[in-house]
Amino acid sequence: MSEPSSRMLALLSLLQVPRDWPGTLLADRLGVSPRTIRRDVDRLRELGYNVAALRGSDGGYRLDAGSQIPPLLLDDDQVIALTVALQVVPALGADIGDAADRALATLRRVMPSRIRHRVAGFTVTAMPANQNADLVAPDVLRVLASASHAHEIVRFDYQTGPSRRVEPHGVVASNSRWYLVAFDLDRNDWRSFRVDRIIPKMPTGLRFSPRPTPGGSAVEFLRRRFRGSDDGEWSCVGQATMHIDASAIAPYIGDGSVEDLGTDTCRVQLGAWSWNAVAAKLAQFDADFEDASPPELQQAVVRLGARLSAGGR
């Protein structure tokens, strides 16, 4: 890789991986001498990148944060990733749509023609966030995410209850909604909070030592909370044979499974927080089904059928 600009772009791409890079390893990766690497590092520093030199027999480099944003050198795949990410912002439920549109317009203006043609094929339209949830203000996200990172106790008003005082452990996005996973100090238990219902108060400045999050992470905690189980698995899982082609229901099976048995017949497995909910999931498909198991699901199907029959009178 002899072209200086292409080589510097490749060097910067490697340095953006958060690790210490021996100079000899960088030279081997790029097919140049360690002296050339030293010259390219100097050029990156002139552009504003804070590349730290590491001591040692081999020497090395690490890309650190600087005092200002230097010119961004992105490879083609990174540009495409940014373009797609900025286009799906409306589905995130955060009030940053205008900023994303401006960032996308800026990015498109400076794209080389070769990348612009590739990106043209990645034009997507994202459905707006859940209409039942208010858009989350970016300042609220920033406060909660920063407090989670800094292990700082947060106080806030909550729309569906009294004020809270919590130890934040993570902000999670799921299905166009944002959630704060935190340990509630007043209730001495773990809780999840809708971020669009949070009104932060003044920072407390009080630090805490992070507790082990149930499940190992904020994401896993929230997944288990949604499923109503301690292990993250559905508490009720059932099966049934359905008289419909597997391909007709596969796109709507969610986290269940479908086995094609041929001749417009398939075996589905679905999970939910209750047997009534599993029965309702089976009933959502416009198809007859039989051989439901286990017995708890069979009983739930009978109850659901009686309820629907009574409601249709």
Side-chain angles (χ1 to χ4, degrees), residues 94-172:
D95 192 15
I96 56 174
D98 290 342
D101 288 341
R102 287 186 282 110
L104 182 58
T106 300
L107 187 61
R108 281 175 168 159
R109 279 197 300 270
V110 299
M111 285 181 190
S113 59
R114 73 175 190 283
I115 303 179
R116 189 178 297 110
H117 293 319
R118 290 185 62 191
V119 168
F122 282 84
T123 300
V124 298
T125 301
M127 293 183 65
N130 191 316
Q131 298 300 312
N132 295 323
D134 294 331
L135 291 178
V136 174
D139 286 346
V140 176
L141 282 176
R142 178 185 56 79
V143 168
L144 298 178
S146 297
S148 299
H149 178 73
H151 310 313
E152 180 178 338
I153 293 174
V154 173
R155 295 183 304 121
F156 58 82
D157 290 329
Y158 201 57
Q159 292 180 7
T160 60
S163 297
R164 303 297 181 99
R165 188 172 56 96
V166 304
E167 296 175 353
H169 280 67
V171 178
V172 181

Side-chain angles (χ1 to χ4, degrees), residues 41-59:
V41 166
D42 288 339
R43 293 191 184 99
L44 289 176
R45 289 168 176 161
E46 291 172 359
L47 289 172
Y49 291 94
N50 187 16
V51 183
L54 307 177
R55 297 179 180 276
S57 58
D58 220 9

Side-chain angles (χ1 to χ4, degrees), residues 276 279 283 289 297-313:
N276 286 347
F289 62 88
L297 177 57
Q298 297 174 7
Q299 297 164 10
V301 169
V302 172
R303 289 195 300 269
L304 179 62
R307 188 176 302 159
L308 293 175
S309 179
R313 292 172 187 168

Side-chain angles (χ1 to χ4, degrees), residues 226 242 266:
F226 286 161
M242 305 199 71
C266 60

